[in-house]
Amino acid sequence: MSSRNYNGTLRRDYNGKFLPIEVNDYELVENDFIMPHHRNEIEIHYIIDGTCDYYIDGKKQSAETGDIVYLKSDTVNSMYKSCEKLKYRAFVFLPGFLYTENVGCTTEKYFRPLKQGDSEVTCVITSEDAAYPELIAQLNRVKEFMDKQEELYELEVKIAMLSYFLTLFKTGHVTKRNNREKSKYKSENAICNAIDYINQNYNRSLTVDEIAENVGISSSHFMKLFREYTHTTCISYINKCRLTKAVELLETTRFNILDVATAVGYNNISLFNRDFKKIYGTTPKEVRKNARIEEKLNRSRKLTL
């Protein structure tokens, strides 16, 4: 089980560029959550234990133990646990793992509509769904092949993943979006671009007007859309982004706490400490201390091998 990641957007390190898929188990405990973000990858989550709420393109989707959750590429989503500890398995892969752009009828007929937002996949599939046994069987096959990595496993993984999507299509879990839903694509794209802009500029002074201008919409409309798709305000998101980066620096560098606060865009150390405690329920000093303890434990484990 992967270690906790405070308020993180999980980092992806694929086995190699020729096999752009990753399968890992994660835990969210205490004040952990996955803040609003978007990626180029498709994500499929299997809830191993616990309950949580997803916000996917502005819609709340609840999931519990055993459920399968689909997150399409280039969509705004976030994840909040609603239990003491949440365990889930993430299957993450680039769309190109399934199909090649501009090649073949399968791309044009099945996968391009998904990528462009003309079609959509059921977000949450429960164990009561008729398609569930086949879907979970294919996910288990992918996990097994990735773990063992025996001869021809790359082909086996791709076949199992394509079989998963074949089941989705056969059982009616891929549907065409109506015109109203299609019209939201431009808004989705604007918020994705705004999130990218914030993540590139979080360490300096940012205003709502600047971000709205960058994505090409009015400030008032932008604020409305941002809250709709992320369920938080733009200013709150900027601060959470800064604090996420702060945790990364606290855990991976020797910068003192004042330098960390400054590096992520905070000019007031008291405000930094107060916001940090409010979000994480602990202090920057405690996070640094725990990171050093974990580092020492890892060194000790290596020495005993």
Side-chain angles (χ1 to χ4, degrees), residues 33-166:
F33 61 92
I34 307 300
M35 65 187 294
H37 65 282
H38 82 94
R39 293 192 183 87
N40 294 329
E41 299 101 329
I42 296 169
E43 298 188 37
I44 299 171
H45 292 178
Y46 168 67
I47 308 301
I48 298 172
D49 186 38
T51 58
C52 61
D53 293 325
Y54 289 81
Y55 290 93
I56 305 170
D57 282 343
K59 297 178 181 178
K60 181 179 178 180
Q61 305 280 350
S62 297
E64 60 185 34
T65 302
D67 288 352
I68 300 171
V69 183
Y70 180 85
L71 305 172
K72 74 179 181 71
S73 61
D74 295 317
T75 191
V76 180
N77 63 79
S78 55
M79 181 180 181
Y80 300 84
K81 67 182 181 62
S82 51
C83 59
E84 184 174 344
K85 180 185 291 186
L86 175 73
K87 298 180 181 179
Y88 69 100
R89 179 167 298 152
F91 299 77
V92 187
F93 51 94
L94 292 172
F97 179 62
L98 298 177
Y99 64 92
T100 304
E101 289 285 356
N102 303 317
V103 178
C105 63
T106 55
T107 295
E108 293 299 321
K109 189 173 182 179
Y110 301 106
F111 291 110
R112 189 180 300 283
L114 284 178
K115 183 175 178 59
Q116 294 180 338
D118 294 327
S119 298
E120 61 183 351
V121 175
T122 303
C123 288
V124 179
I125 297 177
T126 71
S127 59
E128 297 178 356
D129 193 287
Y132 183 88
E134 179 61 25
L135 293 173
I136 201 66
Q138 296 300 345
L139 292 180
N140 288 337
R141 284 167 60 81
V142 171
K143 177 70 165 61
E144 180 182 354
F145 294 138
M146 291 292 290
D147 286 345
K148 293 182 177 179
Q149 295 193 14
E150 297 175 342
E151 187 178 5
L152 303 178
Y153 85 97
E154 300 95 338
L155 285 174
E156 296 279 20
V157 168
K158 186 162 188 174
I159 291 169
M161 208 71 256
L162 284 170
S163 296
Y164 180 91
F165 276 84
L166 177 61

Side-chain angles (χ1 to χ4, degrees), residues 202-204 239 241-243 245-247 249-250 253 255-276 284 288:
Y202 66 88
N203 58 346
R204 65 175 182 80
N239 288 337
C241 181
R242 288 170 173 161
L243 294 172
K245 304 297 183 180
V247 169
L249 291 175
L250 289 167
T253 74
F255 296 163
N256 64 50
I257 292 174
L258 176 60
D259 287 341
V260 168
T262 303
V264 300
Y266 273 89
N267 297 318
N268 184 313
I269 188 65
S270 296
L271 179 61
F272 172 72
N273 286 324
R274 186 165 65 248
D275 285 353
F276 198 100
R288 168 61 58 78

Side-chain angles (χ1 to χ4, degrees), residues 12-28:
R12 306 299 184 192
D13 294 312
Y14 296 111
N15 291 335
K17 64 181 180 180
F18 297 114
L19 188 64
I21 182 169
E22 178 186 89
V23 181
N24 280 316
D25 290 351
Y26 295 98
E27 285 185 356
L28 295 183

